[in-house]
Amino acid sequence: MESSTRGPAIAERAQAERLGARLARTRAALRAVAADISEEELVWRPDEGILSPANHLFHVARFEEALVARVLLGRTVRRRKASEFEDQTRRETAWYLERLAGARALTQGWLDRVTDEDLHRHRTPCGPWGETAADLLDFLSHHDIHHRAAIITLRKLIDPGRVFHDLE
């Protein structure tokens, strides 16, 4: 099937569409868990060696930005120092939610332009995340789920009676 000038033909994008929908769902669920977090909860951690919810949110956004830019877009990404990571815990919740949205928009922008064949080409080694772009995108949805669970756990340590109704 030939591609039109507007992008890949619909029949060539079935898996890309499914991956995009799953990525949207997992990011929405992560954002929902963080949306009503208080500033006190945002930076709380039970021990020095444990990430705070702010650390988790920043990590998810920064990891996705860097991985997508480097692996899918072929851009050079500057590594951040640990002190820059710690500085990010002094932000408001909205800043983290914006970073999460921006990172996913970068991913979705790439995904909107590819065919299913592109997803399975060996573009560049993705390390432990797989060998193809499809593997990498699948990993990103699991990464969201993992950090969402960690944030829920931290919030339940703060308030054991808290119920999260948006759990799938």
Side-chain angles (χ1 to χ4, degrees):
M1 186 176 266
E2 268 186 51
S3 297
S4 70
T5 57
R6 293 181 307 154
I10 293 172
E12 297 173 344
R13 292 195 28 81
Q15 184 178 16
E17 297 288 333
R18 282 192 305 275
L19 278 169
R22 184 172 51 199
L23 288 166
R25 281 192 312 273
T26 60
R27 184 53 50 90
L30 176 61
R31 289 173 51 91
V33 165
D36 70 340
I37 199 166
S38 72
E39 301 231 357
E40 183 178 312
E41 287 179 316
L42 190 62
V43 297
W44 183 84
R45 52 186 171 183
D47 188 58
E48 270 308 300
I50 306 292
L51 295 178
S52 69
N55 293 140
H56 282 283
L57 295 171
F58 181 71
H59 163 75
V60 168
R62 179 65 184 140
F63 180 82
E64 183 170 348
E65 289 170 347
L67 200 60
V68 169
R70 184 173 53 85
V71 175
L72 300 181
L73 302 175
R75 297 178 186 161
T76 302
V77 178
R78 180 180 71 83
R79 293 190 60 88
R80 295 192 178 233
K81 297 176 186 170
S83 61
E84 289 178 278
F85 184 75
E86 287 301 318
D87 289 344
Q88 302 311 319
T89 62
R90 297 185 185 97
R91 306 282 186 157
E92 293 180 1
T93 304
W95 184 87
Y96 295 97
L97 298 178
E98 289 170 17
R99 288 296 296 258
L100 290 170
R104 192 48 51 92
L106 179 68
T107 305
Q108 190 63 49
W110 181 85
L111 191 55
D112 287 345
R113 298 186 309 268
V114 300
T115 64
D116 285 353
E117 182 180 333
D118 295 329
L119 290 173
H120 294 286
R121 275 192 207 134
H122 183 84
R123 299 180 54 83
T124 187
C126 297
W129 310 291
E131 295 183 359
T132 67
D135 294 337
L136 175 75
L137 296 170
D138 187 54
F139 171 78
L140 288 175
S141 66
H142 291 281
H143 192 238
D144 278 3
I145 293 165
H146 163 75
H147 287 281
R148 177 173 169 253
I151 291 169
I152 288 171
T153 300
L154 288 169
R155 293 188 76 184
K156 285 193 156 286
L157 287 172
I158 295 168
D159 181 3
R162 173 133 182 141
V163 176
F164 291 90
H165 296 285
D166 68 328
L167 298 179
E168 295 174 354

